[in-house]
mmCIF file of all heavy atoms in Angstrom:
data_model
loop_
_atom_site.group_PDB
_atom_site.id
_atom_site.type_symbol
_atom_site.label_atom_id
_atom_site.label_comp_id
_atom_site.label_asym_id
_atom_site.label_seq_id
_atom_site.Cartn_x
_atom_site.Cartn_y
_atom_site.Cartn_z
ATOM 1 N N GLY A 884 0.797 -1.206 0.016
ATOM 2 C CA GLY A 884 -0.012 0.013 0.009
ATOM 3 C C GLY A 884 0.843 1.253 -0.002
ATOM 4 O O GLY A 884 0.321 2.355 0.078
ATOM 5 N N ALA A 885 2.115 1.144 -0.068
ATOM 6 C CA ALA A 885 2.999 2.279 -0.086
ATOM 7 C C ALA A 885 3.319 2.640 -1.529
ATOM 8 O O ALA A 885 3.221 1.801 -2.438
ATOM 9 C CB ALA A 885 4.305 1.973 0.682
ATOM 10 N N THR A 886 3.697 3.877 -1.714
ATOM 11 C CA THR A 886 4.097 4.314 -3.050
ATOM 12 C C THR A 886 5.641 4.486 -3.010
ATOM 13 O O THR A 886 6.152 5.158 -2.089
ATOM 14 C CB THR A 886 3.459 5.686 -3.355
ATOM 15 O OG1 THR A 886 2.013 5.498 -3.311
ATOM 16 C CG2 THR A 886 3.790 6.163 -4.784
ATOM 17 N N PRO A 887 6.374 3.960 -3.979
ATOM 18 C CA PRO A 887 7.791 4.168 -4.023
ATOM 19 C C PRO A 887 8.119 5.642 -3.977
ATOM 20 O O PRO A 887 7.447 6.483 -4.586
ATOM 21 C CB PRO A 887 8.250 3.521 -5.335
ATOM 22 C CG PRO A 887 7.173 2.530 -5.623
ATOM 23 C CD PRO A 887 5.889 3.094 -5.087
ATOM 24 N N ASP A 888 9.217 5.985 -3.336
ATOM 25 C CA ASP A 888 9.633 7.406 -3.217
ATOM 26 C C ASP A 888 9.778 8.036 -4.616
ATOM 27 O O ASP A 888 9.407 9.219 -4.795
ATOM 28 C CB ASP A 888 10.936 7.537 -2.423
ATOM 29 C CG ASP A 888 10.760 7.181 -0.944
ATOM 30 O OD1 ASP A 888 9.529 7.074 -0.532
ATOM 31 O OD2 ASP A 888 11.748 7.019 -0.237
ATOM 32 N N SER A 889 10.374 7.327 -5.521
ATOM 33 C CA SER A 889 10.591 7.880 -6.847
ATOM 34 C C SER A 889 9.234 8.235 -7.528
ATOM 35 O O SER A 889 9.093 9.282 -8.160
ATOM 36 C CB SER A 889 11.377 6.926 -7.747
ATOM 37 O OG SER A 889 10.722 5.683 -7.861
ATOM 38 N N GLU A 890 8.274 7.367 -7.337
ATOM 39 C CA GLU A 890 6.940 7.641 -7.915
ATOM 40 C C GLU A 890 6.276 8.828 -7.232
ATOM 41 O O GLU A 890 5.658 9.649 -7.885
ATOM 42 C CB GLU A 890 6.090 6.410 -7.796
ATOM 43 C CG GLU A 890 4.698 6.542 -8.473
ATOM 44 C CD GLU A 890 3.883 5.257 -8.376
ATOM 45 O OE1 GLU A 890 4.451 4.164 -8.235
ATOM 46 O OE2 GLU A 890 2.635 5.401 -8.449
ATOM 47 N N ARG A 891 6.440 8.900 -5.910
ATOM 48 C CA ARG A 891 5.817 10.020 -5.166
ATOM 49 C C ARG A 891 6.432 11.334 -5.637
ATOM 50 O O ARG A 891 5.749 12.312 -5.798
ATOM 51 C CB ARG A 891 6.087 9.787 -3.670
ATOM 52 C CG ARG A 891 5.335 10.727 -2.787
ATOM 53 C CD ARG A 891 5.381 10.450 -1.290
ATOM 54 N NE ARG A 891 6.460 9.560 -0.811
ATOM 55 C CZ ARG A 891 6.295 8.306 -0.509
ATOM 56 N NH1 ARG A 891 5.141 7.722 -0.573
ATOM 57 N NH2 ARG A 891 7.381 7.599 -0.018
ATOM 58 N N ARG A 892 7.780 11.341 -5.822
ATOM 59 C CA ARG A 892 8.459 12.571 -6.258
ATOM 60 C C ARG A 892 7.974 12.956 -7.671
ATOM 61 O O ARG A 892 7.722 14.119 -7.984
ATOM 62 C CB ARG A 892 9.939 12.369 -6.300
ATOM 63 C CG ARG A 892 10.587 12.500 -4.879
ATOM 64 C CD ARG A 892 12.109 12.597 -4.953
ATOM 65 N NE ARG A 892 12.732 11.567 -5.717
ATOM 66 C CZ ARG A 892 13.139 10.394 -5.275
ATOM 67 N NH1 ARG A 892 12.912 10.095 -4.025
ATOM 68 N NH2 ARG A 892 13.689 9.493 -6.072
ATOM 69 N N LEU A 893 7.808 11.941 -8.563
ATOM 70 C CA LEU A 893 7.332 12.247 -9.893
ATOM 71 C C LEU A 893 5.945 12.782 -9.898
ATOM 72 O O LEU A 893 5.597 13.681 -10.622
ATOM 73 C CB LEU A 893 7.425 10.988 -10.775
ATOM 74 C CG LEU A 893 8.832 10.592 -11.205
ATOM 75 C CD1 LEU A 893 8.791 9.212 -11.936
ATOM 76 C CD2 LEU A 893 9.399 11.647 -12.165
ATOM 77 N N ARG A 894 5.095 12.138 -9.041
ATOM 78 C CA ARG A 894 3.725 12.655 -8.938
ATOM 79 C C ARG A 894 3.691 14.115 -8.475
ATOM 80 O O ARG A 894 2.874 14.908 -8.957
ATOM 81 C CB ARG A 894 2.846 11.775 -8.084
ATOM 82 C CG ARG A 894 2.509 10.421 -8.671
ATOM 83 C CD ARG A 894 1.663 9.550 -7.718
ATOM 84 N NE ARG A 894 1.496 8.223 -8.191
ATOM 85 C CZ ARG A 894 0.575 7.891 -9.101
ATOM 86 N NH1 ARG A 894 -0.266 8.813 -9.580
ATOM 87 N NH2 ARG A 894 0.471 6.637 -9.437
ATOM 88 N N GLN A 895 4.492 14.404 -7.495
ATOM 89 C CA GLN A 895 4.577 15.749 -7.030
ATOM 90 C C GLN A 895 5.045 16.735 -8.094
ATOM 91 O O GLN A 895 4.507 17.821 -8.253
ATOM 92 C CB GLN A 895 5.527 15.857 -5.788
ATOM 93 C CG GLN A 895 5.578 17.184 -5.123
ATOM 94 C CD GLN A 895 6.500 17.185 -3.927
ATOM 95 O OE1 GLN A 895 7.215 16.218 -3.664
ATOM 96 N NE2 GLN A 895 6.510 18.266 -3.204
ATOM 97 N N GLN A 896 6.044 16.288 -8.860
ATOM 98 C CA GLN A 896 6.543 17.145 -9.937
ATOM 99 C C GLN A 896 5.455 17.338 -11.008
ATOM 100 O O GLN A 896 5.285 18.422 -11.523
ATOM 101 C CB GLN A 896 7.829 16.472 -10.608
ATOM 102 C CG GLN A 896 8.479 17.355 -11.569
ATOM 103 C CD GLN A 896 9.746 16.754 -12.146
ATOM 104 O OE1 GLN A 896 10.035 15.593 -11.905
ATOM 105 N NE2 GLN A 896 10.552 17.559 -12.802
ATOM 106 N N VAL A 897 4.728 16.287 -11.313
ATOM 107 C CA VAL A 897 3.625 16.395 -12.298
ATOM 108 C C VAL A 897 2.571 17.346 -11.821
ATOM 109 O O VAL A 897 2.106 18.203 -12.589
ATOM 110 C CB VAL A 897 2.991 14.989 -12.558
ATOM 111 C CG1 VAL A 897 1.686 15.124 -13.335
ATOM 112 C CG2 VAL A 897 3.955 14.152 -13.367
ATOM 113 N N ARG A 898 2.252 17.334 -10.531
ATOM 114 C CA ARG A 898 1.211 18.228 -9.964
ATOM 115 C C ARG A 898 1.774 19.689 -10.092
ATOM 116 O O ARG A 898 1.029 20.576 -10.506
ATOM 117 C CB ARG A 898 0.994 17.886 -8.471
ATOM 118 C CG ARG A 898 -0.108 18.595 -7.802
ATOM 119 C CD ARG A 898 -0.484 18.071 -6.433
ATOM 120 N NE ARG A 898 0.617 17.626 -5.615
ATOM 121 C CZ ARG A 898 1.008 16.356 -5.362
ATOM 122 N NH1 ARG A 898 0.286 15.387 -5.887
ATOM 123 N NH2 ARG A 898 1.995 16.087 -4.602
ATOM 124 N N LYS A 899 3.006 19.964 -9.759
ATOM 125 C CA LYS A 899 3.550 21.272 -9.915
ATOM 126 C C LYS A 899 3.535 21.749 -11.366
ATOM 127 O O LYS A 899 3.234 22.920 -11.658
ATOM 128 C CB LYS A 899 5.034 21.339 -9.324
ATOM 129 C CG LYS A 899 5.083 21.291 -7.860
ATOM 130 C CD LYS A 899 6.502 21.379 -7.381
ATOM 131 C CE LYS A 899 6.610 21.261 -5.881
ATOM 132 N NZ LYS A 899 7.983 21.222 -5.364
ATOM 133 N N LEU A 900 3.949 20.882 -12.274
ATOM 134 C CA LEU A 900 3.904 21.194 -13.685
ATOM 135 C C LEU A 900 2.486 21.544 -14.185
ATOM 136 O O LEU A 900 2.315 22.448 -14.984
ATOM 137 C CB LEU A 900 4.538 20.081 -14.498
ATOM 138 C CG LEU A 900 6.030 19.900 -14.344
ATOM 139 C CD1 LEU A 900 6.552 18.651 -15.083
ATOM 140 C CD2 LEU A 900 6.815 21.130 -14.842
ATOM 141 N N LYS A 901 1.490 20.797 -13.715
ATOM 142 C CA LYS A 901 0.140 21.117 -14.073
ATOM 143 C C LYS A 901 -0.294 22.469 -13.567
ATOM 144 O O LYS A 901 -0.973 23.221 -14.262
ATOM 145 C CB LYS A 901 -0.798 19.998 -13.564
ATOM 146 C CG LYS A 901 -0.719 18.737 -14.351
ATOM 147 C CD LYS A 901 -1.748 17.710 -13.855
ATOM 148 C CE LYS A 901 -1.709 16.447 -14.692
ATOM 149 N NZ LYS A 901 -2.625 15.455 -14.217
ATOM 150 N N GLU A 902 0.119 22.830 -12.311
ATOM 151 C CA GLU A 902 -0.194 24.114 -11.780
ATOM 152 C C GLU A 902 0.493 25.209 -12.624
ATOM 153 O O GLU A 902 -0.105 26.205 -12.924
ATOM 154 C CB GLU A 902 0.247 24.203 -10.319
ATOM 155 C CG GLU A 902 -0.520 23.383 -9.355
ATOM 156 C CD GLU A 902 0.089 23.293 -7.996
ATOM 157 O OE1 GLU A 902 1.163 23.889 -7.758
ATOM 158 O OE2 GLU A 902 -0.519 22.554 -7.124
ATOM 159 N N LEU A 903 1.757 24.987 -13.002
ATOM 160 C CA LEU A 903 2.435 25.967 -13.837
ATOM 161 C C LEU A 903 1.838 26.109 -15.202
ATOM 162 O O LEU A 903 1.654 27.207 -15.729
ATOM 163 C CB LEU A 903 3.942 25.568 -13.991
ATOM 164 C CG LEU A 903 4.812 25.761 -12.790
ATOM 165 C CD1 LEU A 903 6.186 25.105 -13.001
ATOM 166 C CD2 LEU A 903 4.932 27.214 -12.408
ATOM 167 N N ARG A 904 1.336 24.976 -15.734
ATOM 168 C CA ARG A 904 0.673 25.035 -17.052
ATOM 169 C C ARG A 904 -0.572 25.827 -16.970
ATOM 170 O O ARG A 904 -0.886 26.616 -17.871
ATOM 171 C CB ARG A 904 0.381 23.625 -17.489
ATOM 172 C CG ARG A 904 -0.164 23.510 -18.848
ATOM 173 C CD ARG A 904 -0.307 22.073 -19.297
ATOM 174 N NE ARG A 904 -0.956 21.963 -20.574
ATOM 175 C CZ ARG A 904 -1.847 21.115 -20.861
ATOM 176 N NH1 ARG A 904 -2.177 20.141 -20.081
ATOM 177 N NH2 ARG A 904 -2.394 21.150 -22.091
ATOM 178 N N THR A 905 -1.376 25.659 -15.867
ATOM 179 C CA THR A 905 -2.605 26.396 -15.705
ATOM 180 C C THR A 905 -2.274 27.894 -15.579
ATOM 181 O O THR A 905 -2.975 28.726 -16.197
ATOM 182 C CB THR A 905 -3.337 25.889 -14.464
ATOM 183 O OG1 THR A 905 -3.671 24.502 -14.632
ATOM 184 C CG2 THR A 905 -4.630 26.635 -14.206
ATOM 185 N N ALA A 906 -1.298 28.228 -14.789
ATOM 186 C CA ALA A 906 -0.895 29.643 -14.618
ATOM 187 C C ALA A 906 -0.428 30.236 -15.968
ATOM 188 O O ALA A 906 -0.733 31.359 -16.304
ATOM 189 C CB ALA A 906 0.212 29.747 -13.578
ATOM 190 N N ASP A 907 0.346 29.410 -16.704
ATOM 191 C CA ASP A 907 0.806 29.889 -17.979
ATOM 192 C C ASP A 907 -0.355 30.098 -18.982
ATOM 193 O O ASP A 907 -0.363 31.084 -19.716
ATOM 194 C CB ASP A 907 1.822 28.904 -18.660
ATOM 195 C CG ASP A 907 3.150 28.928 -17.923
ATOM 196 O OD1 ASP A 907 3.433 29.865 -17.192
ATOM 197 O OD2 ASP A 907 3.944 27.979 -18.173
ATOM 198 N N ALA A 908 -1.336 29.203 -18.908
ATOM 199 C CA ALA A 908 -2.527 29.379 -19.786
ATOM 200 C C ALA A 908 -3.244 30.667 -19.459
ATOM 201 O O ALA A 908 -3.724 31.372 -20.368
ATOM 202 C CB ALA A 908 -3.436 28.161 -19.626
ATOM 203 N N ARG A 909 -3.359 30.992 -18.140
ATOM 204 C CA ARG A 909 -4.052 32.223 -17.771
ATOM 205 C C ARG A 909 -3.253 33.425 -18.287
ATOM 206 O O ARG A 909 -3.798 34.431 -18.791
ATOM 207 C CB ARG A 909 -4.181 32.300 -16.266
ATOM 208 C CG ARG A 909 -5.322 31.508 -15.703
ATOM 209 C CD ARG A 909 -5.616 31.884 -14.267
ATOM 210 N NE ARG A 909 -4.499 31.667 -13.368
ATOM 211 C CZ ARG A 909 -4.306 30.607 -12.636
ATOM 212 N NH1 ARG A 909 -5.155 29.606 -12.689
ATOM 213 N NH2 ARG A 909 -3.211 30.489 -11.889
ATOM 214 N N GLU A 910 -1.949 33.392 -18.076
ATOM 215 C CA GLU A 910 -1.068 34.477 -18.530
ATOM 216 C C GLU A 910 -1.181 34.662 -20.056
ATOM 217 O O GLU A 910 -1.247 35.735 -20.559
ATOM 218 C CB GLU A 910 0.379 34.256 -18.121
ATOM 219 C CG GLU A 910 1.276 35.408 -18.486
ATOM 220 C CD GLU A 910 2.749 35.179 -18.011
ATOM 221 O OE1 GLU A 910 3.030 34.090 -17.469
ATOM 222 O OE2 GLU A 910 3.523 36.047 -18.198
ATOM 223 N N ILE A 911 -1.167 33.565 -20.828
ATOM 224 C CA ILE A 911 -1.227 33.627 -22.269
ATOM 225 C C ILE A 911 -2.576 34.240 -22.659
ATOM 226 O O ILE A 911 -2.611 35.083 -23.568
ATOM 227 C CB ILE A 911 -1.055 32.222 -22.906
ATOM 228 C CG1 ILE A 911 0.429 31.821 -22.768
ATOM 229 C CG2 ILE A 911 -1.528 32.207 -24.301
ATOM 230 C CD1 ILE A 911 0.688 30.382 -23.118
ATOM 231 N N ALA A 912 -3.648 33.836 -22.017
ATOM 232 C CA ALA A 912 -4.973 34.443 -22.308
ATOM 233 C C ALA A 912 -4.981 35.926 -22.048
ATOM 234 O O ALA A 912 -5.544 36.704 -22.900
ATOM 235 C CB ALA A 912 -6.057 33.729 -21.491
ATOM 236 N N GLN A 913 -4.388 36.376 -20.940
ATOM 237 C CA GLN A 913 -4.321 37.791 -20.630
ATOM 238 C C GLN A 913 -3.447 38.510 -21.694
ATOM 239 O O GLN A 913 -3.778 39.575 -22.131
ATOM 240 C CB GLN A 913 -3.728 38.040 -19.231
ATOM 241 C CG GLN A 913 -3.639 39.456 -18.807
ATOM 242 C CD GLN A 913 -4.984 40.192 -18.835
ATOM 243 O OE1 GLN A 913 -5.925 39.687 -18.214
ATOM 244 N NE2 GLN A 913 -5.114 41.310 -19.509
ATOM 245 N N LEU A 914 -2.310 37.911 -22.057
ATOM 246 C CA LEU A 914 -1.486 38.518 -23.097
ATOM 247 C C LEU A 914 -2.190 38.658 -24.449
ATOM 248 O O LEU A 914 -2.031 39.665 -25.143
ATOM 249 C CB LEU A 914 -0.130 37.754 -23.241
ATOM 250 C CG LEU A 914 0.824 37.828 -22.044
ATOM 251 C CD1 LEU A 914 1.933 36.849 -22.183
ATOM 252 C CD2 LEU A 914 1.324 39.217 -21.905
ATOM 253 N N LYS A 915 -2.969 37.631 -24.795
ATOM 254 C CA LYS A 915 -3.709 37.717 -26.049
ATOM 255 C C LYS A 915 -4.752 38.843 -26.010
ATOM 256 O O LYS A 915 -4.902 39.574 -26.994
ATOM 257 C CB LYS A 915 -4.432 36.345 -26.328
ATOM 258 C CG LYS A 915 -3.530 35.288 -26.813
ATOM 259 C CD LYS A 915 -4.292 33.989 -27.090
ATOM 260 C CE LYS A 915 -3.327 32.948 -27.632
ATOM 261 N NZ LYS A 915 -4.058 31.700 -27.949
ATOM 262 N N ALA A 916 -5.403 39.025 -24.836
ATOM 263 C CA ALA A 916 -6.341 40.088 -24.706
ATOM 264 C C ALA A 916 -5.652 41.431 -24.772
ATOM 265 O O ALA A 916 -6.114 42.378 -25.430
ATOM 266 C CB ALA A 916 -7.124 39.991 -23.408
ATOM 267 N N ASP A 917 -4.474 41.548 -24.172
ATOM 268 C CA ASP A 917 -3.672 42.739 -24.217
ATOM 269 C C ASP A 917 -3.262 43.085 -25.696
ATOM 270 O O ASP A 917 -3.326 44.226 -26.108
ATOM 271 C CB ASP A 917 -2.428 42.673 -23.357
ATOM 272 C CG ASP A 917 -2.738 42.642 -21.878
ATOM 273 O OD1 ASP A 917 -3.921 42.921 -21.485
ATOM 274 O OD2 ASP A 917 -1.840 42.282 -21.068
ATOM 275 N N VAL A 918 -2.866 42.061 -26.413
ATOM 276 C CA VAL A 918 -2.436 42.241 -27.831
ATOM 277 C C VAL A 918 -3.671 42.759 -28.596
ATOM 278 O O VAL A 918 -3.500 43.711 -29.402
ATOM 279 C CB VAL A 918 -1.902 40.933 -28.429
ATOM 280 C CG1 VAL A 918 -1.811 41.048 -29.915
ATOM 281 C CG2 VAL A 918 -0.524 40.594 -27.837
ATOM 282 N N GLU A 919 -4.818 42.170 -28.387
ATOM 283 C CA GLU A 919 -6.013 42.648 -29.138
ATOM 284 C C GLU A 919 -6.306 44.075 -28.827
ATOM 285 O O GLU A 919 -6.613 44.896 -29.738
ATOM 286 C CB GLU A 919 -7.227 41.790 -28.796
ATOM 287 C CG GLU A 919 -7.185 40.406 -29.404
ATOM 288 C CD GLU A 919 -8.422 39.542 -29.069
ATOM 289 O OE1 GLU A 919 -9.516 40.196 -28.887
ATOM 290 O OE2 GLU A 919 -8.277 38.363 -29.031
ATOM 291 N N ALA A 920 -6.183 44.504 -27.556
ATOM 292 C CA ALA A 920 -6.405 45.908 -27.189
ATOM 293 C C ALA A 920 -5.390 46.837 -27.818
ATOM 294 O O ALA A 920 -5.722 47.903 -28.316
ATOM 295 C CB ALA A 920 -6.399 46.029 -25.624
ATOM 296 N N LEU A 921 -4.190 46.391 -27.831
ATOM 297 C CA LEU A 921 -3.091 47.186 -28.393
ATOM 298 C C LEU A 921 -3.242 47.325 -29.939
ATOM 299 O O LEU A 921 -3.009 48.404 -30.516
ATOM 300 C CB LEU A 921 -1.721 46.635 -28.051
ATOM 301 C CG LEU A 921 -1.298 46.797 -26.600
ATOM 302 C CD1 LEU A 921 -0.033 46.022 -26.319
ATOM 303 C CD2 LEU A 921 -1.093 48.285 -26.270
ATOM 304 N N VAL A 922 -3.660 46.263 -30.567
ATOM 305 C CA VAL A 922 -3.885 46.295 -32.012
ATOM 306 C C VAL A 922 -5.041 47.266 -32.346
ATOM 307 O O VAL A 922 -4.961 48.022 -33.255
ATOM 308 C CB VAL A 922 -4.145 44.878 -32.566
ATOM 309 C CG1 VAL A 922 -4.712 44.954 -33.982
ATOM 310 C CG2 VAL A 922 -2.872 44.054 -32.544
ATOM 311 N N GLY A 923 -6.064 47.203 -31.498
ATOM 312 C CA GLY A 923 -7.197 48.124 -31.660
ATOM 313 C C GLY A 923 -6.753 49.567 -31.502
ATOM 314 O O GLY A 923 -7.102 50.433 -32.303
ATOM 315 N N ALA A 924 -5.968 49.872 -30.489
ATOM 316 C CA ALA A 924 -5.443 51.225 -30.288
ATOM 317 C C ALA A 924 -4.561 51.644 -31.398
ATOM 318 O O ALA A 924 -4.612 52.821 -31.879
ATOM 319 C CB ALA A 924 -4.718 51.295 -28.919
ATOM 320 N N LEU A 925 -3.710 50.764 -31.871
ATOM 321 C CA LEU A 925 -2.836 51.088 -33.012
ATOM 322 C C LEU A 925 -3.674 51.395 -34.288
ATOM 323 O O LEU A 925 -3.345 52.322 -35.007
ATOM 324 C CB LEU A 925 -1.851 49.942 -33.261
ATOM 325 C CG LEU A 925 -0.915 50.099 -34.439
ATOM 326 C CD1 LEU A 925 0.000 51.345 -34.185
ATOM 327 C CD2 LEU A 925 -0.061 48.895 -34.651
ATOM 328 N N HIS A 926 -4.645 50.577 -34.485
ATOM 329 C CA HIS A 926 -5.494 50.765 -35.671
ATOM 330 C C HIS A 926 -6.218 52.132 -35.585
ATOM 331 O O HIS A 926 -6.257 52.877 -36.564
ATOM 332 C CB HIS A 926 -6.561 49.622 -35.751
ATOM 333 C CG HIS A 926 -7.533 49.828 -36.895
ATOM 334 N ND1 HIS A 926 -7.126 49.652 -38.240
ATOM 335 C CD2 HIS A 926 -8.823 50.177 -36.911
ATOM 336 C CE1 HIS A 926 -8.200 49.905 -38.983
ATOM 337 N NE2 HIS A 926 -9.188 50.190 -38.273
ATOM 338 N N GLN A 927 -6.755 52.461 -34.402
ATOM 339 C CA GLN A 927 -7.368 53.794 -34.229
ATOM 340 C C GLN A 927 -6.410 54.929 -34.436
ATOM 341 O O GLN A 927 -6.702 55.837 -35.117
ATOM 342 C CB GLN A 927 -8.004 53.878 -32.845
ATOM 343 C CG GLN A 927 -8.720 55.165 -32.586
ATOM 344 C CD GLN A 927 -9.375 55.223 -31.220
ATOM 345 O OE1 GLN A 927 -9.331 54.246 -30.478
ATOM 346 N NE2 GLN A 927 -9.888 56.373 -30.861
#
């Protein structure tokens, strides 16, 4: 019923990477919105 330490470390690393991926996705969405706003201002 125990998990090998190497597997536990890998699962922890996967969890952290998923959190980073989610944060990156939010940042990318915000940057895309910023780009659209800047393109609109430039066009105007």
Side-chain angles (χ1 to χ4, degrees):
T886 304
D888 292 347
S889 58
E890 184 177 335
R891 189 173 20 257
R892 283 192 307 271
L893 285 174
R894 287 181 187 276
Q895 184 179 8
Q896 187 176 13
V897 166
R898 189 171 37 256
K899 286 180 183 177
L900 289 172
K901 284 182 179 180
E902 290 170 2
L903 288 172
R904 184 174 177 221
T905 301
D907 287 347
R909 281 194 302 265
E910 184 179 3
I911 288 170
Q913 181 61 51
L914 290 171
K915 284 182 178 180
D917 291 349
V918 166
E919 287 182 30
L921 289 171
V922 166
L925 179 62
H926 177 70
Q927 181 179 353

